Amino acid sequence: MGHDVLWLNLIQFYYISDNRSKKEWINSWINKVKKFQPDIIFTFNNQISEEIIKVTNCPIILFEADLSEFFANTDLIKKYKDRYYAATFFEQGKKQYISLGFRDDRIIPLHPATSVKRENKPKIHNISFIGSSFWVDNEYVKKQFLPFERHSFYQMFRKFWESNDYDYEKLVNRYLGKNKLSVFDHYLIFDSRSYTLQSVLDLGLKLYGVYWDKSVSQQLLPLVCAFDKTPMYSLRHNQDVYNSSKVNLSISHPQCRGYAHPWRIYDIMASGGALVSSFSEALSDRTKGYVDIPMYHSPYDVRDLCKKLLKDTPFRQEVISASNEFIEKFGRWIDNFKTIQEYTGVKIAEPSNGEGSASIEYDYKS
């Protein structure tokens, strides 16, 4: 909309071990925030420090990039409750915000949105996926899970893939009994990302993201060979990949539990590639009557869907066209800007003649 935007990535804040260096770094970006004097702040998963809140006096909009278990600094929400609003893309998201202390009139209902545009590019990839591997240290896996009876684990996986049931706690209790596994352990156990990608390897997979060369190199060499280390993080990067692929996969994090879905679902639907998605009740409800998105429950169903879309060009084009039409009607950001403006009074939906965007850089290297 032409507004000035200052963005700050706090990754270095969490990785600097030396307190003096951390303080110097904090002071450097706090001064930039003070000089910028924002009219509104958006924080994802509440990745914001109290230093930023203290030097500003504008509304703070908390966006859910994950479930509340992944939120940072939640004590700040109640401490500065008169500054905070919560934005959610899902009806069930209201529950977690209320549990964090938000009043109903401070919860802003939005819809997923995208800025991706369809472009007629040569289809150089059969199937593409952009995303991290959710890499976890192998020693942690050995310590947490190997003490369990392995046959029980295997039976639990079979039941999970056959039942279309996303109640992880029920499955764990049934097959593993009483245990000390955390909700994060459940997410690790029921992550089917690698299995899903393995099932379509021979169909022609282009894999982008991070950690794939670290997390699966010893177990599955072909998957590593399908991995392209080229960074894909910008709107243009994503748009180019999705438009140059016949099929684009979306593999939900286990926290979606068969209900929610990743933001990049709408990115894919806006492109010239067909979406194949993990099952999402919310996505099915939203798109009902407009487009029948090909969805799968198990990592083995996805193979049949991809084969059908690759072989049946008219069907693939039908999915793409219907998805594009849905996005133009219900998936653009301007609607959300207007809603946020109504709640906060900050005129972000009004065009501005700002100077553009600026970033506070960091030099952390993984």
Side-chain angles (χ1 to χ4, degrees):
M1 301 302 292
H3 299 288
D4 293 327
V5 178
L6 178 69
W7 62 267
L8 167 64
N9 192 324
L10 287 174
I11 188 71
Q12 186 166 351
F13 180 78
Y14 297 103
Y15 284 93
I16 298 177
S17 57
D18 179 67
N19 288 333
R20 182 177 178 181
S21 299
K22 180 176 287 190
K23 186 174 181 179
E24 290 176 355
W25 192 79
I26 290 174
N27 289 337
S28 70
W29 51 257
I30 285 298
N31 288 332
K32 293 179 181 179
V33 172
K34 287 173 64 177
K35 183 178 180 181
F36 187 71
Q37 295 183 320
D39 297 308
I40 193 167
I41 295 172
F42 300 104
T43 174
F44 300 87
N45 283 7
N46 208 43
Q47 295 285 353
I48 187 172
S49 71
E50 190 167 18
E51 289 89 349
I52 293 177
I53 297 177
K54 285 182 175 179
V55 299
T56 58
N57 58 10
C58 60
I60 301 168
I61 316 297
L62 169 56
F63 271 85
E64 55 189 5
D66 293 284
L67 291 178
S68 57
E69 297 103 60
F70 293 92
F71 289 3
N73 307 315
T74 52
D75 57 309
L76 298 177
I77 296 172
K78 291 183 178 179
K79 187 174 182 179
Y80 297 95
K81 62 182 180 180
D82 293 334
R83 296 271 304 276
Y84 265 94
Y85 291 85
T88 181
F89 296 119
F90 303 98
E91 182 64 28
Q92 292 186 6
K94 289 184 178 180
K95 297 178 182 178
Q96 69 175 1
Y97 282 134
I98 290 173
S99 69
L100 290 173
F102 283 94
R103 299 196 315 266
D104 191 66
D105 62 348
R106 306 285 286 190
I107 302 174
I108 306 175
L110 303 178
H111 60 71
T114 180
S115 295
V116 167
K117 296 285 187 180
R118 179 174 179 174
E119 294 177 327
N120 293 321
K121 289 182 172 292
K123 295 294 187 285
I124 59 176
H125 308 306
N126 275 356
I127 304 171
S128 290
F129 176 76
I130 307 175
S132 63
S133 70
F134 303 145
W135 175 63
V136 175
D137 185 84
N138 194 46
E139 291 303 315
Y140 177 82
V141 174
K142 289 180 181 179
K143 181 179 179 180
Q144 289 294 100
F145 306 136
L146 289 188
F148 286 102
E149 207 282 313
R150 299 185 188 188
H151 180 71
S152 298
F153 245 115
Y154 176 56
Q155 294 303 319
M156 182 180 68
F157 283 128
R158 289 188 63 192
K159 183 65 176 179
F160 173 55
W161 291 327
E162 293 171 358
S163 66
N164 303 335
D165 186 351
Y166 297 89
D167 188 340
Y168 309 135
E169 290 77 10
K170 182 177 70 176
L171 287 166
V172 168
N173 289 336
R174 176 179 174 182
Y175 288 94
L176 305 183
K178 292 184 178 181
N179 55 75
K180 296 182 180 180
L181 297 179
S182 69
V183 64
F184 299 104
D185 292 327
H186 293 168
Y187 293 158
L188 177 59
I189 290 171
F190 294 102
D191 173 30
S192 295
R193 183 160 293 204
S194 293
Y195 307 125
T196 300
L197 294 170
Q198 290 175 40
S199 71
V200 298
L201 268 174
D202 66 311
L203 302 180
L205 173 67
K206 191 69 171 180
L207 176 60
Y208 296 98
V210 292
Y211 297 134
W212 290 105
D213 52 338
K214 296 180 180 179
S215 62
V216 298
S217 57
Q218 296 180 0
Q219 293 83 12
L220 193 66
L221 182 60
L223 191 57
V224 178
C225 294
F227 173 51
D228 189 327
K229 290 186 178 181
T230 305
M232 293 293 168
Y233 56 87
S234 70
L235 170 62
R236 171 50 63 181
H237 290 154
N238 285 262
Q239 185 167 289
D240 285 348
V241 170
Y242 293 147
N243 277 311
S244 59
S245 305
K246 294 178 181 179
V247 172
N248 292 292
L249 278 178
S250 173
I251 309 173
S252 296
H253 188 282
Q255 66 180 307
C256 292
R257 292 178 177 264
Y259 171 74
H261 59 78
W263 291 10
R264 65 173 68 247
I265 285 275
Y266 276 40
D267 293 341
I268 296 171
M269 290 178 66
S271 76
L275 167 66
V276 172
S277 170
S278 306
F279 179 76
S280 164
E281 181 182 343
L283 180 62
S284 179
D285 290 343
R286 281 185 170 127
T287 57
K288 187 176 181 179
Y290 296 95
V291 53
D292 187 9
I293 298 295
M295 298 189 204
Y296 61 92
H297 287 281
S298 84
Y300 310 102
D301 298 333
V302 67
R303 178 178 177 80
D304 292 334
L305 287 175
C306 288
K307 289 176 70 174
K308 178 175 175 57
L309 283 161
L310 291 173
K311 183 178 180 180
D312 191 340
T313 301
F315 172 57
R316 187 172 73 245
Q317 293 301 326
E318 180 182 332
V319 171
I320 294 170
S321 296
S323 297
N324 293 166
E325 185 177 348
F326 175 84
I327 291 298
E328 293 307 321
K329 289 181 178 179
F330 308 108
R332 293 303 182 187
W333 276 104
I334 185 60
D335 304 325
N336 288 337
F337 295 159
K338 291 177 180 178
T339 302
I340 293 171
Q341 181 170 304
E342 290 173 2
Y343 272 78
T344 65
V346 180
K347 296 183 177 180
I348 64 170
E350 306 296 329
S352 174
N353 294 318
E355 297 179 0
S357 301
S359 62
I360 298 178
E361 301 293 347
Y362 62 99
D363 58 8
Y364 167 74
K365 294 179 175 60
S366 61

